[in-house]
Amino acid sequence: MGTVTYRDGIAILQLIIFPFIVVAALFIWNRTGWKAGSKIWRFAVTLSLIRIAGSISSLLTINNDSYNVEVAVAVCELIGIAPLLLTYVGLLRQIDTQQSLPPRLINGVAIICVIGLILGIAGVSSASDNGTYHPDSIVKASMGIFLAVFVIILLLTYLLFVRVRPTMRVFQKKLFLAIACSCPLLVVRLVYSALGDFTTDSRFTVLVGSPTIYLCMDVLEEIFAMIITMVLAVSAVLEKDFVQPGSIRQPEEGKIEGV
């Protein structure tokens, strides 16, 4: 029987935390409306399921340290950034009830993130050499896309805040706060992945890097960001002034609102 390592303990931590995040995300999704919330909260659910699957795969290596299992762990680790970022793109949709931002712009950011996800999945197999993971140009391109998407999210958050500030509802304030509080954590999380992909520092290498750095710069950052987001989002959807995304429309030019 294999020995439970420090990294296995990290996997156990994720296996404990992320089921609760799934439940919270499903609750918010239900309150938002399954149809209206499908472009928002499915990403938090997807991220949690990926982390659960990755943790299970990691624990399987205790007694079955095969190449295929290690690839599964690497895939789950690398592709989790996409649903993480898409969760915050979704928060902008949740906030923007009056579609102050062009829907095509938000959709475009989501599509770019999905392209990064596809490149990341495609790059994992080609980046594995003799059982050792070495990020290639495809993986680096994927990481570059994710970094660009994060910058765009920050810019859109500021722009949306400026536009809705005069008429901001309580639930919107809480969702803006969720993004603001999560941003420093996301910065550290993305820096960790970027260092692993763009440098040769072995401490940031997927699967074999420093478990302490992995815990502090990746796992805990992601967990705390999602917990903050779930807590504030649950509180937001329970507010009396909460409205579903897109349920409020700007009045057409020349017409009085409500007519």
Side-chain angles (χ1 to χ4, degrees):
M1 182 175 179
T3 303
V4 177
T5 65
Y6 185 175
R7 191 171 286 270
D8 294 327
I10 297 173
I12 292 171
L13 173 65
Q14 291 178 300
L15 201 55
I16 292 172
I17 299 297
F18 278 101
F20 291 100
I21 296 176
V22 170
V23 172
L26 289 173
F27 172 79
I28 301 165
W29 191 350
N30 180 48
R31 294 282 299 189
T32 302
W34 294 111
K35 182 178 180 179
S38 63
K39 293 183 178 181
I40 305 170
W41 298 106
R42 68 184 180 190
F43 299 115
V45 172
T46 300
L47 170 65
S48 300
L49 294 178
I50 288 173
R51 291 300 175 236
I52 291 170
S55 298
I56 293 173
S57 298
S58 181
L59 294 176
L60 287 175
T61 62
I62 296 175
N63 293 315
N64 182 26
D65 193 11
S66 68
Y67 173 74
N68 289 334
V69 174
E70 289 187 353
V71 169
V73 176
V75 169
C76 290
E77 173 61 27
L78 292 169
I79 68 175
I81 298 177
L84 176 64
L85 293 177
L86 285 169
T87 297
Y88 293 93
V89 174
L91 281 181
L92 295 178
R93 295 182 190 272
Q94 186 94 61
I95 293 169
D96 195 11
T97 56
Q98 295 182 307
Q99 295 186 351
S100 300
L101 298 177
R104 289 184 179 180
L105 179 59
I106 301 294
N107 292 337
V109 175
I111 291 172
I112 293 172
C113 198
V114 171
I115 292 173
L117 171 61
I118 294 171
L119 289 176
I121 294 174
V124 170
S125 58
S126 61
S128 300
D129 181 23
N130 296 325
T132 303
Y133 175 78
H134 300 285
D136 62 5
S137 58
I138 299 178
V139 174
K140 291 177 181 179
S142 174
M143 190 66 231
I145 289 174
F146 292 142
L147 292 173
V149 167
F150 178 67
V151 173
I152 294 172
I153 290 172
L154 295 181
L155 294 175
L156 291 179
T157 300
Y158 174 75
L159 179 60
L160 183 59
F161 180 80
V162 170
R163 291 189 176 184
V164 304
R165 185 176 182 180
T167 59
M168 193 181 301
R169 297 167 180 257
V170 174
F171 88 91
Q172 291 171 315
K173 292 179 181 179
K174 291 184 176 181
L175 295 179
F176 270 125
L177 184 61
I179 296 175
C181 292
S182 298
C183 275
L185 300 169
L186 296 179
V187 168
V188 176
R189 171 68 180 88
L190 291 171
V191 165
Y192 173 82
S193 292
L195 289 173
D197 288 341
F198 295 115
T199 72
T200 58
D201 193 330
S202 61
R203 294 175 299 172
F204 301 95
T205 303
V206 174
L207 302 180
V208 296
S210 168
T212 299
I213 293 177
Y214 169 63
L215 173 65
C216 296
M217 293 187 67
D218 183 323
V219 176
L220 291 181
E221 307 300 316
E222 208 168 77
I223 287 175
F224 287 141
M226 292 306 296
I227 288 176
I228 290 170
T229 300
M230 292 301 109
V231 170
L232 288 171
V234 167
S235 178
V237 299
L238 293 176
E239 287 290 340
K240 294 181 180 180
D241 65 355
F242 173 74
V243 293
Q244 292 183 350
S247 61
I248 299 177
R249 294 287 185 267
Q250 294 282 10
E252 295 181 14
E253 187 175 355
K255 292 186 178 182
I256 299 176
E257 186 175 2
V259 175

